Amino acid sequence: EVIKPKTIIFPNDIREEVLEKPKYGTPWPWEFMTKVTYGNRLGEVYMLAGDTSVGKTQIMYQIIAHHIANGCKVGLIDLERQNVQTMQRVISGMINKRIYLPDCIDFDKKEINEQIDILQDSLAMYRPESGKLSVESILINIRYLCKAYKMNFFVIDNLTALATNVSTGMKDYEIASQTVGQLVQIAKELNVPVLALSQLNRSCETRHNKRPQMSDLRGSGSLEQDADACLFLYRDAYKELKNIKDGKK
């Protein structure tokens, strides 16, 4: 008897799924972003990129808080901060208070405790073992959180930090490109959306119009091809202030 492998699919095998109308994903915090991307859809990978200090991290925490409020379970791989700092920033996005700063005058432990209770079943964080950070470890933890705890949205901050900390002999942009390809595979396998933050290269600084474009992404060719959508952050006011500080105006 010849047994059909699971990798072979015939039209009749997926008839019911094909007959279902495509659905919007979880809405983003901003209506225009939901309209353009049809929401945060299952199985898709999104790139969120911007220049240094333009506000990527703050936007990320707003997205996380918004998705948790909409019933999502979020797996957060924050490679730039300690877990306590990450947790305080997530809560800050939920209660609109900067509890992660020393000069916060409204640090209410009772209120923070209540938010921790809410997050207990809705948020999981990744803590890499000392000296053992790797893309494979991150993928293993994503798969575990999805299958064991039903986490259904994963955020990685950020690909640049991952490339800097992984010792492979490869260039940073090569690691970032390879990582996005692997994230695409696991997003399709687990049918979960993934949001990955990335730093822009310095090309946009040399242009008169400093608005970011696809070529400003490190490893842009592969990232553009693999990611389902690339989202760029730009602030006119920030660039204006930066030019003043640099003596250009």
Side-chain angles (χ1 to χ4, degrees):
E1 181 183 357
V2 179
I3 300 176
K4 186 187 79 169
K6 295 181 180 179
T7 51
I8 302 299
I9 304 295
F10 290 101
N12 202 45
D13 297 332
I14 54 174
R15 180 185 298 272
E16 292 185 8
E17 291 87 341
V18 173
L19 290 173
E20 289 184 7
K21 184 179 179 180
K23 299 177 181 178
Y24 278 86
T26 303
W28 300 99
W30 308 277
E31 185 177 349
F32 75 91
M33 189 168 165
T34 301
K35 184 177 180 180
V36 170
T37 63
Y38 300 105
N40 190 6
R41 304 181 70 190
L42 298 177
E44 299 200 344
V45 173
Y46 302 90
M47 294 290 302
L48 177 63
D51 200 359
T52 304
S53 302
V54 79
K56 294 188 299 297
T57 301
Q58 191 60 35
I59 291 292
M60 177 190 76
Y61 287 122
Q62 289 184 39
I63 290 173
I64 290 172
H66 183 80
H67 276 67
I68 290 175
N70 277 273
C72 290
K73 293 187 174 184
V74 181
L76 174 57
I77 296 97
D78 190 338
L79 303 175
E80 296 201 326
R81 280 159 289 275
Q82 296 178 346
N83 291 135
V84 172
Q85 295 173 328
T86 298
M87 188 72 168
Q88 288 178 335
R89 285 177 175 267
V90 171
I91 294 174
S92 293
M94 298 175 69
I95 64 177
N96 199 26
K97 295 178 182 178
R98 296 187 175 184
I99 65 170
Y100 56 89
L101 295 178
D103 60 355
C104 177
I105 59 175
D106 195 13
F107 193 91
D108 187 337
K109 289 187 177 181
K110 181 179 179 181
E111 183 180 31
I112 295 172
N113 254 321
E114 291 173 352
Q115 296 303 317
I116 293 174
D117 289 338
I118 293 173
L119 292 172
Q120 176 59 30
D121 296 322
S122 302
L123 177 70
M125 293 170 287
Y126 170 76
R127 180 173 61 190
E129 297 181 51
S130 178
K132 294 184 179 180
L133 177 61
S134 68
V135 177
E136 290 73 20
S137 174
I138 290 175
L139 296 177
I140 289 171
N141 280 272
I142 288 176
R143 188 174 283 105
Y144 167 75
L145 287 172
C146 180
K147 294 186 176 182
Y149 293 95
K150 310 300 181 186
M151 297 289 167
N152 52 14
F153 177 40
F154 292 91
V155 181
I156 300 177
D157 185 17
N158 66 48
L159 294 181
T160 308
L162 176 61
T164 302
N165 284 282
V166 173
S167 300
T168 63
M170 298 170 62
K171 294 181 179 180
D172 290 0
Y173 71 87
E174 292 176 328
I175 297 175
S177 300
Q178 186 182 75
T179 301
V180 171
Q182 292 174 306
L183 290 176
V184 169
Q185 291 178 16
I186 200 166
K188 306 300 183 191
E189 172 195 337
L190 302 176
N191 198 29
V192 296
V194 176
L195 174 68
L197 276 66
S198 180
Q199 184 75 32
L200 295 177
N201 59 35
R202 295 297 180 182
S203 298
C204 59
E205 296 294 335
T206 63
R207 295 194 301 269
H208 176 69
N209 180 358
K210 303 204 183 324
R211 292 180 180 275
Q213 56 191 34
M214 197 67 70
S215 59
D216 296 329
L217 275 172
R218 297 182 178 180
S220 57
S222 176
L223 299 183
E224 178 183 1
Q225 179 180 343
D226 292 336
D228 292 283
C230 295
L231 315 169
F232 294 97
L233 297 181
Y234 175 79
R235 289 193 296 169
D236 281 320
Y238 167 73
K239 288 298 180 183
E240 188 77 13
L241 180 61
K242 192 173 187 296
N243 285 335
I244 294 173
K245 288 182 177 179
D246 293 343
K248 296 178 182 179
K249 280 195 174 184

